Amino acid sequence: MDKLRIATRKSALALWQAEHVAARLRAAHAGLVVELVPMTTRGDKILDRPLADIGGKGLFLKELEVAMLEGEADIAVHSLKDVPMDLDGPFELPAILERGDPFDAFVSEKHSDLDALPRGARVGTSSLRRQAQLRARRSDLQVLDLRGNVNTRIARMQAGDYDAIILACAGLERLGLSRFIRHRLDAPSWLPAVAQGAIAIECRIGDAATIDCVRVLDHAVTRTCVEAERAMNRQLHGSCHVPVAAYATLDGGILSLEGLVGSADTGECVRIGEVGRANDPEGLGRLVAAELRLKGADRLLSS
């Protein structure tokens, strides 16, 4: 293979991720020409409604997948947290890059962390997972919806629309905006989105030349951890319609997984932590999902 075309969204973060993959591939394969095919997805166009109301995060994939099917692109690069648990169509994920910072960032002009916010403070996030954990931690806050790219969200916070906003640390770091991270919301007290911080490469099933080309970027430890998280979410039928969080770590041959299901309305949360074998991330994910259900997750999911 002497040329590879990458379908990507046009947002600054998506372009950074695609350029990062392109640079890694050029470094791995001497003489390989890598081109970006920037596209606007439906998820990028509709910014006045929560994602859960317009079809979920899969809206960020569809146009990119069509480009691959029609021969306009060879691969697509995604934030893995935006990729549905089951791909819709003849696609697979041959490479998952080493995970960046998986946690959320507390971003505020005036306040140092969540606990420093005054009663009734306005906090912006479009994520039901973040809303559930915010309400669990501070039921007195006004949790308000917030859409748009990273720079737009920060600008709205700076304009005074919000006292604080919650963003992904990895996105801020990749855009050179880590100075806005006032406080990291990390495990075990706060859990990230499933596969947050990981970049995935999607391609057509059976495209052997492309798969051989990109597989060099696959990071085994990251794949094991995110497979456990995604298996849990798959068993719970989780999506952006329900507040589900998960975080897996691998230490030697021991895989640990923390899972959470919550209510964005009340802040009620159930959570479970389990350990399993590194060679069976699917099994650990299913186990944590089953235990969450025994603890009452189904009631929260159905609500």
Side-chain angles (χ1 to χ4, degrees):
M1 171 171 277
D2 56 8
K3 183 177 179 180
L4 192 76
R5 297 160 300 168
I6 302 177
T8 174
R9 295 164 57 199
K10 290 182 179 179
S11 74
L13 181 55
L15 289 170
W16 184 98
Q17 292 177 163
E19 290 284 8
H20 176 68
V21 168
R24 292 281 306 275
L25 288 171
R26 292 185 192 110
H29 304 289
L32 178 67
V33 175
V34 185
E35 296 179 353
L36 267 57
V37 183
M39 310 183 74
T40 301
T41 69
R42 186 162 179 256
D44 295 308
K45 295 174 184 175
I46 305 174
L47 298 176
D48 59 347
R49 284 176 283 166
L51 277 176
D53 293 347
I54 59 174
K57 292 181 176 179
L59 292 176
F60 292 128
L61 276 71
K62 190 55 62 183
E63 286 85 350
L64 279 57
E65 291 176 337
V66 170
M68 287 188 285
L69 289 176
E70 294 183 348
E72 297 172 7
D74 303 296
I75 66 172
V77 171
H78 310 293
S79 294
L80 185 52
K81 70 183 180 67
D82 293 337
V83 177
M85 299 309 109
D86 295 300
L87 294 175
D88 183 16
F91 302 104
E92 60 179 301
L93 302 176
I96 298 171
L97 279 65
E98 184 174 3
R99 194 176 204 169
D101 191 323
F103 297 116
D104 283 336
F106 174 87
V107 177
S108 177
E109 293 277 270
K110 301 177 182 177
H111 308 286
S112 59
D113 56 32
L114 269 178
D115 295 332
L117 287 171
R119 290 185 60 84
R122 296 159 298 166
V123 181
T125 174
S126 60
S127 160
L128 297 181
R129 169 191 61 84
R130 290 169 178 157
Q131 291 175 15
Q133 292 183 92
L134 279 168
R135 290 195 165 99
R137 186 109 149 233
R138 290 284 307 270
S139 60
D140 61 291
L141 298 176
Q142 296 182 62
V143 182
L144 307 173
D145 196 59
L146 174 63
R147 291 283 314 280
N149 62 41
V150 172
N151 285 308
T152 298
R153 297 183 194 200
I154 290 173
R156 291 191 64 187
M157 181 270 299
Q158 291 177 320
D161 293 348
Y162 306 91
D163 297 296
I165 60 176
I166 310 297
L167 298 172
C169 287
L172 290 167
E173 290 166 356
R174 288 165 181 165
L175 292 172
L177 300 172
S178 55
R179 65 186 181 278
F180 286 103
I181 301 174
R182 293 294 299 271
H183 181 73
R184 289 172 77 250
L185 298 165
D186 54 14
S189 61
W190 183 282
L191 297 185
V194 169
Q196 184 162 307
I199 297 171
I201 297 175
E202 182 184 23
C203 74
R204 297 181 302 276
I205 290 174
D207 185 352
T210 298
I211 292 169
D212 288 343
C213 180
V214 304
R215 189 171 278 151
V216 67
L217 301 187
D218 193 53
H219 189 256
V221 171
T222 297
R223 180 175 285 274
T224 296
C225 291
V226 298
E227 282 182 351
E229 296 170 17
R230 284 169 64 82
M232 183 206 83
N233 203 23
R234 187 179 296 111
Q235 288 296 114
L236 294 170
H237 306 292
S239 68
C240 64
H241 295 271
V242 291
V244 174
Y247 181 55
T249 56
L250 185 60
D251 183 8
I254 303 300
L255 183 62
S256 302
L257 175 62
E258 290 269 342
L260 176 148
V261 175
S263 165
D265 294 325
T266 67
E268 181 184 357
C269 294
V270 297
R271 61 184 296 163
I272 287 291
E274 282 289 356
V275 297
R277 300 188 310 276
N279 62 1
D280 188 20
E282 288 274 339
L284 179 59
R286 290 194 298 269
L287 172 64
V288 170
E291 293 192 359
L292 284 167
R293 286 201 147 108
L294 286 174
K295 206 170 177 181
D298 278 339
R299 175 175 53 78
L300 297 178
L301 291 168
S302 63
S303 66

